[in-house]
Amino acid sequence: AWGRDNLAPVSGAGSDGSFRHAVTMVDSLDTLWLAGLKSEFNRAVDWLKTNLPNRIANLGSDVSVFETTIRSLGGLEGAYALSKNPDLLKLSQLMGDRLSQVVSAAGVSPYTLGGGFGGMGCASLAESGTSQLEYNYLSQMTGKLGYAAKAAKFYDTLESHPGLDGLWPNCWGSGSGKITMGADGDSFYEYLIKAWL
């Protein structure tokens, strides 16, 4: 998938989805490092160093904020944590800057970079409650505390809405939807314990 988002398993060709920023390469960096494939890791980092800044600057309005945060920002940060390659820190900050632009002062993330809601038709728990780890680490790495503070603001926002003993419905803003550990809710609860730890 070199430079493309996805790898087609039958043809072996790369293709782009809505991301258009080599998301498979970014998401695989930590695996390459852990597997001892340092030559492949370094080739990927060189490609990303040259090509990813322009792709970040031109991310489309249809790009998922949730997926880009966990896969791309998280992928860059994980690779940096393992390798300490300063190019990955620069790319992490570029990606973090781009994503944090669309997070509101209340810590609420839209469905896509262009705004809007996902399949639930509302701002879901997962969209806003699954960025705290990435932003906390970005603040740690850069010394810029604003990333972590902005993401953590969602917890204050959420607590001002009715819940049930620490559980909230997927559509937390309107109090509708359902309380679930499935889609649109699972990663919020998963991140609560990880962020606390």
Side-chain angles (χ1 to χ4, degrees):
W2 194 256
R4 309 294 293 275
D5 285 339
N6 309 305
L7 177 64
V10 175
S11 70
S15 66
D16 280 326
S18 65
F19 294 99
R20 294 178 296 282
H21 64 267
V23 72
T24 294
M25 182 186 293
V26 173
D27 201 14
S28 301
L29 288 171
D30 55 354
T31 301
L32 290 171
W33 184 271
L34 291 170
L37 301 170
K38 301 300 190 321
S39 173
E40 291 85 347
F41 176 88
N42 290 327
R43 284 181 48 226
V45 171
D46 286 344
W47 189 93
L48 291 167
K49 179 173 61 172
T50 302
N51 297 285
L52 193 56
N54 186 53
R55 294 196 181 193
I56 292 170
N58 293 297
L59 290 174
S61 61
D62 59 337
V63 172
S64 166
V65 174
F66 170 85
E67 292 289 342
T68 304
T69 299
I70 64 171
R71 294 184 67 191
S72 300
L73 180 56
L76 291 166
E77 290 176 345
Y80 172 74
L82 294 168
S83 70
K84 299 301 184 220
N85 183 311
D87 293 319
L88 293 170
L89 177 57
K90 290 176 191 168
L91 292 171
S92 294
Q93 190 166 353
L94 280 176
M95 185 65 79
D97 288 344
R98 179 66 181 96
L99 292 170
S100 69
Q101 289 174 359
V102 299
V103 178
S104 76
V108 178
S109 296
Y111 181 63
T112 65
L113 288 173
F117 304 120
M120 297 282 300
C122 64
S124 78
L125 284 174
E127 288 161 10
S128 299
T130 311
S131 61
Q132 288 70 25
L133 295 177
E134 289 81 4
Y135 285 125
N136 287 351
Y137 191 55
L138 190 56
S139 284
Q140 245 182 346
M141 292 188 305
T142 63
K144 297 181 178 185
L145 303 181
Y147 299 115
K150 196 171 196 182
K153 187 66 180 161
F154 177 66
Y155 294 143
D156 297 330
T157 300
L158 184 61
E159 286 185 4
S160 70
H161 289 76
L164 179 64
D165 294 328
L167 301 174
W168 284 269
N170 291 1
C171 294
W172 58 271
S174 63
S176 62
K178 57 186 174 182
I179 294 174
T180 179
M181 300 300 153
D184 292 311
D186 55 348
S187 56
F188 164 73
Y189 296 107
E190 186 183 312
Y191 267 51
L192 279 177
I193 188 67
K194 289 177 179 178
W196 181 79
L197 288 170

